[in-house]
Amino acid sequence: MTTTGERPALAQPGSAGPGKAVPGNSAPDAWHLLKTARELTEPELRKAVDRLAEPVRSVAAYHFGWSDECGRPVNGEGGKGVRAALVLAAAQAVGAPAVEAVAPAAAVELVHNFSVLHDDLMDGDLLRRGRSTAWSLFGSTQAILAGDALLAVAVDTLAHRFPQGGPEAVRELSGALLALVAGQGADLTFETRADVGLAECLEMAAGKTASLLAAACALGALAARAGTERVDALRQFGRHLGLAFQLVDDLLGIWGDTTVTGKPVGSDLRSRKKSLPVVAALSSGTPAGERLAALYHRTEPLDDAELRTAAQLIEEAGGRRWAQEEAERQRAAAVTSLATAGVTPDSTPALAALADLITRRHV
């Protein structure tokens, strides 16, 4: 805990943090970075949500894990805060104190949660972070309005509490939002198409997920008033990291543990989502891929046994291995992006630790 008026700096790997230390594994350090980033950004997030009118304010507070469905305060899990941590770590990587990047970090988290509120509704997901999704408790209309409100206060936070970013920061976030919407739209369209290719699936992931992580890193660099080359390098770092993040998320959506991820495992297969491992399997030209296509393109709902069969066929067709290898390739490309601007993992341990955490979650 910090005393009133004090703000913690974003801790560097090696600091004592929650969880058990594993020799050679940066995850405990990365979790400590996330915890510290949440401590820095949560006051800004609460200020933003407090500006909202009821009942939208209560829906947003529930979604962030600050209250239960009746509005009673709780200490819930409001998400890992990866995007906020990336903003702060990117700012530090080019020489600025983390506290100078708190406003854009909060803005990015607000945008992310806007997209999550809408995404849960569009996908029909009933669980998020181990709790009922906002739309399933409060209704679709209130969830949509809450998401819209978070987007509005995100832009306002960036415009009025991040003056050093100027119009460039607003353009950065706006560009990410346009890419995010395009990616989400493609993701939904793919569900009704039988001919989705791997290249366009990667492009969809670049918009839906990677665009906001790329903007997070670029905004951190802007907070440090970095030059164009470093802003571009950090943006590319975030983009590659975002693709790795989506690949791992897709793997967890098929083979993860609900008690660990807090998300409904198998829902992507049940709704015939063309996630990256699925498209890799469908494009493999293997007998398993052909059997998967026949199963996936049926009009009848898949039962639990057929979902297990689908997951097995994806693995037999090489979809799981491809996604794991591609996630590692994207992680390596992210590190290379830092090196091209003379920013190495040795000088940016926080970014390196977060990259490891994102790409090496258990799948």
Side-chain angles (χ1 to χ4, degrees):
M1 296 294 293
T2 58
T3 58
T4 303
E6 292 180 349
R7 280 178 149 177
L10 191 65
Q12 295 295 327
S15 305
K20 297 178 180 179
V22 179
N25 189 329
S26 63
D29 291 328
W31 284 112
H32 186 70
L33 295 172
L34 295 177
K35 178 177 180 292
T36 307
R38 286 196 298 272
E39 291 173 356
L40 281 165
T41 56
E42 186 171 315
E44 286 288 339
L45 295 174
R46 286 183 179 270
K47 286 178 187 176
V49 171
D50 283 346
R51 295 176 57 193
L52 307 182
E54 290 291 2
V56 166
R57 181 169 61 233
S58 292
V59 177
Y62 170 84
H63 172 74
F64 275 106
W66 303 333
S67 63
D68 64 14
E69 63 271 24
C70 297
R72 294 176 296 236
V74 296
N75 292 319
E77 173 56 59
K80 292 183 288 293
V82 167
R83 292 153 190 82
L86 284 171
V87 176
L88 302 178
Q92 286 187 314
V94 287
V99 293
E100 292 189 9
V102 169
V108 167
E109 278 300 307
L110 289 164
V111 168
H112 170 60
N113 282 279
F114 136 75
S115 70
V116 168
L117 279 161
H118 286 196
D119 192 47
D120 283 343
L121 172 59
M122 286 184 278
D123 290 345
D125 284 340
L126 300 176
L127 282 179
R128 167 71 59 175
R129 301 161 186 161
R131 301 200 306 165
S132 297
T133 49
W135 77 266
S136 67
L137 281 179
F138 302 99
S140 58
T141 302
Q142 293 301 333
I144 291 170
L145 288 173
D148 292 346
L150 292 185
L151 177 58
V153 291
V155 176
D156 188 73
T157 296
L158 195 66
H160 292 99
R161 297 186 61 80
F162 186 46
Q164 66 268 40
E168 190 175 357
V170 176
R171 285 195 297 270
E172 187 73 42
L173 188 62
S174 298
L177 276 165
L178 289 172
L180 188 157
V181 170
Q184 179 67 11
D187 190 29
L188 293 171
T189 301
F190 288 173
E191 292 180 25
T192 60
R193 284 179 47 193
D195 60 342
V196 177
L198 201 49
E200 62 180 331
C201 195
L202 281 166
E203 183 179 356
M204 175 274 292
K208 178 183 174 181
T209 302
S211 62
L212 193 54
L213 273 74
C217 294
L219 287 168
L222 289 174
R225 298 176 175 84
T228 301
E229 183 180 0
R230 282 190 163 182
V231 173
D232 289 345
L234 283 163
R235 185 185 297 110
Q236 285 304 311
F237 169 82
R239 182 181 183 279
H240 288 299
L241 203 58
L243 284 168
F245 187 100
Q246 186 61 60
L247 284 154
V248 174
D249 219 46
D250 286 350
L251 288 163
L252 289 170
I254 300 172
W255 293 284
D257 182 347
T258 298
T259 61
V260 175
T261 64
K263 300 178 183 179
V265 174
S267 63
D268 285 357
L269 296 180
R270 197 179 298 276
S271 62
R272 314 298 214 286
K273 261 195 183 300
K274 301 299 192 303
S275 66
L276 287 158
V278 169
V279 174
L282 291 173
S283 306
S284 66
T286 63
E290 293 173 2
R291 289 173 58 199
L292 176 67
L295 185 63
Y296 225 62
H297 298 151
R298 283 174 40 191
T299 56
E300 302 87 356
L302 301 180
D303 60 30
D304 289 345
E306 288 168 329
L307 291 175
R308 290 191 292 271
T309 298
Q312 181 179 348
L313 290 171
I314 294 166
E315 185 154 13
E316 289 178 11
R320 184 175 188 173
R321 177 183 297 176
W322 175 86
Q324 290 170 328
E325 292 175 350
E326 181 65 14
E328 182 57 31
R329 192 186 76 79
Q330 293 292 341
R331 189 200 69 81
V335 173
T336 300
S337 295
L338 294 180
T340 58
V343 182
T344 67
D346 288 342
S347 64
T348 57
L351 288 174
L354 290 169
D356 284 347
L357 175 69
I358 286 171
T359 56
R360 289 167 182 169
R361 290 174 286 167
H362 179 65
V363 290

